[in-house]
């Protein structure tokens, strides 16, 4: 009888230990961002800090990447729990557009929230003589990493403007390197897809006179993609930029995986909107994230955890 009682107590203790271990297992949240000189990275750092303190037993990390396309492929492969990506890249990932960097449809992607808009920002050294899109002909232009979200934006915009890469000397370079080459007179212009006030352009504008190239509304309309909307870069966003600049805006999306637990996705969504003011201190672009539109017009399905949050707060 004593043996049986001892066995029962040991079994109960073992069961409790298993239950406790399972409950206390770390919640890993790897946030996929972009280059450290862009906007994705500081926002990812801000979210990491919010989740680290707000989600019990969470182990957060921030990974610098080549941004949208790489982020979405990494999510599909299970190598991240949250990523920032451009809306047009997300749509291409869902549909498996090979020319956009997706060999097959990415079926595991789910949305957490529509975030802030990216603005296409084409800047050139004043001494290059570039003032319009047509002036890019014959010039050395950086368009971001090959098949990155930025580079796909460049292709679409140039095509709509009647330009092709063969009209210019194209370089596939990240933000920081592009800025350094313009400073050194080795590059004439760069096209950046990012939130307003990005560090790389602020740095460049503080050291030399720049031209800010407009993307007219008629060019935006010729792109023929609803992800691309006409917008304005407000005057004085950068040093020496006295006038507002017509351009294109594309919504960024916070994306997760279908197999991320519902409760984790719920907490990621809730903490995002509970801490928008705090997140805005990581980068000014985050101040444009709005609950009102976060669950609307998304190219992929919401994660059930995120959907639960939006229904709770009346945003769905």
């Amino acid at each position: 009888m004593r043996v049986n009682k001892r066995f029962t107590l040991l079994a109960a203790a073992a069961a409790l230990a298993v239950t406790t271990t399972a409950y206390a297992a770390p919640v890993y949240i790897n946030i996929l961002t972009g280059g450290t000189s862009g906007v994705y990275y500081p926002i990812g750092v801000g979210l990491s800090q919010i989740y680290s303190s707000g989600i019990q037993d969470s182990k957060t990390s921030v990974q610098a990447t080549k941004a949208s396309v790489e982020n979405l492929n990494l999510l599909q492969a299970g190598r991240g729990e949250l990523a920032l990506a451009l809306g047009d890249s997300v749509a291409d990932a869902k549909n498996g557009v090979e020319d956009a960097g997706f060999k097959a449809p990415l079926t595991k992607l789910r949305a957490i929230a529509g975030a802030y808009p990216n603005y296409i920002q084409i800047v050139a050294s004043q001494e290059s003589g570039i003032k319009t899109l047509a002036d890019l002909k014959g010039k050395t232009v950086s368009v971001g990493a090959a098949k990155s979200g930025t580079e796909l934006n460049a292709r679409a915009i140039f095509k709509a403007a009647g330009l092709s890469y063969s009209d210019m000397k194209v370089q596939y370079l990240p933000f920081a390197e592009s800025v350094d080459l313009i400073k050194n007179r080795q590059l004439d212009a760069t096209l950046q897809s990012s939130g307003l006030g990005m560090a790389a352009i602020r740095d460049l504008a503080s050291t030399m006179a720049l031209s800010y190239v407009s993307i007219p509304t008629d060019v935006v309309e010729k792109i023929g993609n609803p992800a691309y909307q006409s917008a304005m870069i407000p005057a004085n966003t950068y040093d020496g930029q006295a006038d507002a600049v017509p351009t294109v805006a594309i919504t960024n999306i916070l994306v997760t995986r279908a197999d991320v637990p519902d409760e984790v996705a719920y907490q990621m969504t809730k903490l995002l909107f509970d801490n928008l003011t705090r997140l805005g201190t990581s980068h000014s672009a985050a101040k444009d994230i709005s609950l009102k539109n976060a669950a609307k017009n998304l190219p992929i399905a919401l994660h059930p955890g995120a959907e639960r949050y939006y229904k709770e707060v009346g945003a769905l």
Side-chain angles (χ1 to χ4, degrees):
M1 184 69 68
R2 288 179 181 174
V3 172
N4 289 342
K5 184 175 182 181
R6 183 184 179 194
F7 176 80
T8 301
L9 290 171
L10 287 171
L16 179 60
V18 170
T19 302
T20 302
T21 300
Y23 179 78
V27 177
Y28 291 101
I29 302 175
N30 185 32
I31 302 173
L32 306 167
T33 59
T36 55
S37 62
V39 176
Y40 283 2
Y41 188 82
I43 289 178
V45 170
L47 285 170
S48 174
Q49 293 167 346
I50 290 167
Y51 294 156
S52 179
S53 60
I55 298 177
Q56 187 175 2
D57 299 318
S58 63
K59 302 288 185 184
T60 64
S61 57
V62 180
Q63 183 174 340
T65 68
K66 294 178 182 177
S68 297
V69 176
E70 183 179 12
N71 289 352
L72 297 170
N73 282 312
L74 286 171
L75 275 182
Q76 179 73 15
R79 295 171 58 188
E81 284 65 48
L82 186 68
L84 280 153
L86 283 164
D88 58 328
S89 291
V90 175
D92 287 343
K94 175 185 177 183
N95 296 321
V97 179
E98 189 166 0
D99 286 346
F102 307 105
K103 295 180 179 179
L106 305 191
T107 58
K108 296 180 181 179
L109 305 181
R110 298 293 184 270
I112 289 291
Y116 65 92
N118 256 25
Y119 292 78
I120 302 301
Q121 300 167 72
I122 305 176
V123 297
S125 62
Q126 272 194 9
E127 63 189 47
S128 71
I130 297 170
K131 295 181 179 179
T132 68
L133 287 169
D135 293 336
L136 294 172
K137 287 186 177 181
K139 302 296 185 178
T140 306
V141 183
S142 170
V143 294
K147 291 192 175 179
S148 64
T150 295
E151 196 259 316
L152 297 174
N153 296 159
R155 287 192 210 184
I157 291 162
F158 292 162
K159 181 179 179 181
L163 298 168
S164 72
Y165 282 178
S166 62
D167 293 322
M168 57 195 85
K169 301 166 189 173
V170 171
Q171 301 289 317
Y172 300 94
L173 302 171
F175 295 169
E177 190 173 348
S178 299
V179 164
D180 288 342
L181 290 177
I182 291 177
K183 287 180 183 177
N184 295 330
R185 275 69 179 178
Q186 295 173 282
L187 189 71
D188 295 312
T190 179
L191 180 148
Q192 312 276 8
S193 178
S194 180
L196 294 176
M198 67 172 298
I201 297 179
R202 284 206 315 268
D203 174 46
L204 185 60
S206 70
T207 61
M208 65 190 305
L210 298 177
S211 295
Y212 298 86
V213 179
S214 297
I215 303 173
T217 301
D218 63 322
V219 171
V220 180
E221 291 172 351
K222 288 176 183 175
I223 295 172
N225 184 333
Y228 291 73
Q229 296 292 321
S230 289
M232 299 290 285
I233 301 172
N236 301 311
T237 298
Y238 301 103
D239 289 350
Q241 183 224 330
D243 300 319
V245 181
T247 191
V248 174
I250 306 163
T251 298
N252 287 289
I253 300 174
L254 282 160
V255 186
T256 188
R257 303 191 321 264
D259 56 341
V260 166
D262 287 4
E263 182 62 23
V264 174
Y266 171 83
Q267 290 295 337
M268 288 197 297
T269 311
K270 183 178 189 301
L271 287 167
L272 164 68
F273 290 103
D274 284 352
N275 292 275
L276 281 182
T277 301
R278 178 180 172 186
L279 187 61
T281 65
S282 65
H283 196 283
S284 59
K287 295 176 182 178
D288 288 332
I289 299 174
S290 166
L291 177 61
K292 180 180 178 181
N293 298 315
K296 298 176 181 177
N297 302 316
L298 298 171
I300 55 173
L302 282 167
H303 191 289
E307 184 176 9
R308 172 186 152 202
Y309 171 77
Y310 292 123
K311 286 180 177 178
E312 280 184 2
V313 298
L316 266 184

